[in-house]
Amino acid sequence: MQDRTALFEIKDLCKSFGDHLVLDHISTNIYQGEVVVIVGPSGSGKSTFLRSLNLLEEPTGGSICFEGLNITDPKCNINKYRQKIGMVFQHFNLFPHKTILQNMTLAPIKLLKKSKEEAESQAVELLKRVGLEEKAHAYPSQLSGGQKQRIAIVRSLCMNPDVMLFDEPTSALDPEMVGEVLAVMRDLAGQGMTMAVVTHEMGFAKEVGTRVMFIDEGQIKEENTPGEFFEHPENPRLREFLSKVL
């Protein structure tokens, strides 16, 4: 572990909504090149944990360091750091009145100050990678759910992020579209992208994850390599969870 770079260092992370403690002193690191898959029952805090990593949820305690900088420090310019953190949600959040190419080039032109030509060239390359090159001038309403989610992923990649966060990226999709989105994520992992993924897709966790984390009642109850996690779960709550989902 020592020779790897920790992209995220999370210490005693807490989050409360009123009297309800959602994250209860979570401490862990996410290392460069890792694919950390986060699983757990509904309402366990896993999406809140993921959204805290780019301060979409403001922690009520603890600290998060990203690339050595404490992003929970009020003086930190979080928008600058968010540019390095790609985020893909359940719902695709594409601008309906803009073409796919416009959706993809908006942020690189505005935030990274890329020229229109440079941004479009990169966008077209990424569309080729996910087999949607011919959709560049289509509008989101003309795409299937699986196509929209693949666009949402490559739109994040247009910002050249150092890490990608996925919050249940396949849960809003029809079952037959799940595979095409997971294939893009598998490809990304194969190219060494650091990823943290909240998902119910246990097959993806087994096959692509380098570490699987079980969050329940706002705590990491167990984390291990996929082999150990699924074959030899130690925590009784994890064993009960796996008996229902596998």
Side-chain angles (χ1 to χ4, degrees):
M1 282 284 185
Q2 295 309 311
D3 58 340
R4 292 189 297 161
T5 306
L7 278 190
F8 284 105
E9 297 169 81
I10 299 130
K11 291 188 180 123
D12 284 328
L13 184 66
C14 294
K15 174 67 180 178
S16 297
F17 293 106
D19 294 337
H20 181 44
L21 184 63
V22 182
L23 298 179
D24 185 4
H25 295 89
I26 285 183
S27 295
T28 189
N29 288 351
I30 295 175
Y31 293 92
Q32 203 162 2
E34 269 198 306
V35 178
V36 178
V37 182
I38 303 156
V39 302
S42 292
S44 59
K46 52 192 191 300
S47 283
T48 303
F49 169 68
L50 191 81
R51 290 166 63 87
S52 297
L53 295 180
N54 65 356
L55 298 202
L56 285 178
E57 295 289 356
E58 291 265 349
T60 41
S63 67
I64 301 168
C65 285
F66 174 65
E67 297 185 342
L69 185 96
N70 181 0
I71 60 173
T72 41
D73 182 332
K75 293 193 288 287
C76 168
N77 177 359
I78 186 58
N79 289 325
K80 184 180 166 201
Y81 281 85
R82 279 195 186 125
Q83 292 178 21
K84 301 181 179 187
I85 304 172
M87 181 102 197
V88 178
F89 302 90
Q90 293 179 29
H91 299 286
F92 327 111
N93 298 348
L94 298 171
F95 293 111
H97 60 290
K98 292 187 179 292
T99 66
I100 297 310
L101 197 59
Q102 288 168 336
N103 264 283
M104 292 178 69
T105 56
L106 189 68
I109 291 170
K110 203 170 171 183
L111 299 173
L112 301 182
K113 307 295 184 229
K114 288 193 173 184
S115 68
K116 186 166 181 270
E117 293 70 29
E118 190 186 359
E120 287 186 349
S121 167
Q122 182 192 20
V124 168
E125 279 307 308
L126 286 165
L127 285 172
K128 280 182 191 166
R129 238 171 85 179
V130 296
L132 290 173
E133 190 187 355
E134 77 287 356
K135 300 293 185 188
H137 300 291
Y139 286 87
S141 60
Q142 298 169 297
L143 273 57
S144 71
Q147 289 172 331
K148 285 181 200 167
Q149 195 60 297
R150 283 187 280 163
I151 296 297
I153 294 171
V154 289
R155 179 183 57 177
S156 281
L157 293 177
C158 283
M159 291 295 288
N160 306 318
D162 294 345
V163 59
M164 289 283 287
L165 309 178
F166 294 87
D167 188 8
E168 302 198 20
T170 57
S171 64
L173 298 178
D174 293 337
E176 66 265 30
M177 292 174 186
V178 169
E180 62 191 58
V181 173
L182 292 180
V184 173
M185 294 169 65
R186 201 176 287 119
D187 178 47
L188 262 186
Q191 292 173 19
M193 175 61 78
T194 309
M195 295 158 64
V197 185
V198 170
T199 186
H200 297 287
E201 301 290 336
M202 297 299 150
F204 178 84
K206 282 182 184 176
E207 182 195 342
V208 185
T210 54
R211 176 159 47 117
V212 188
M213 186 185 285
F214 175 64
I215 292 184
D216 187 40
E217 297 175 329
Q219 297 177 329
I220 298 174
K221 295 286 173 82
E222 190 160 336
E223 54 181 331
N224 215 326
T225 59
E228 287 298 308
F229 185 92
F230 288 105
E231 300 302 323
H232 308 290
E234 291 174 9
N235 184 284
R237 185 68 189 87
L238 173 58
R239 287 203 291 268
E240 181 194 350
F241 174 76
L242 290 176
S243 73
K244 290 174 180 166
V245 297
L246 291 179

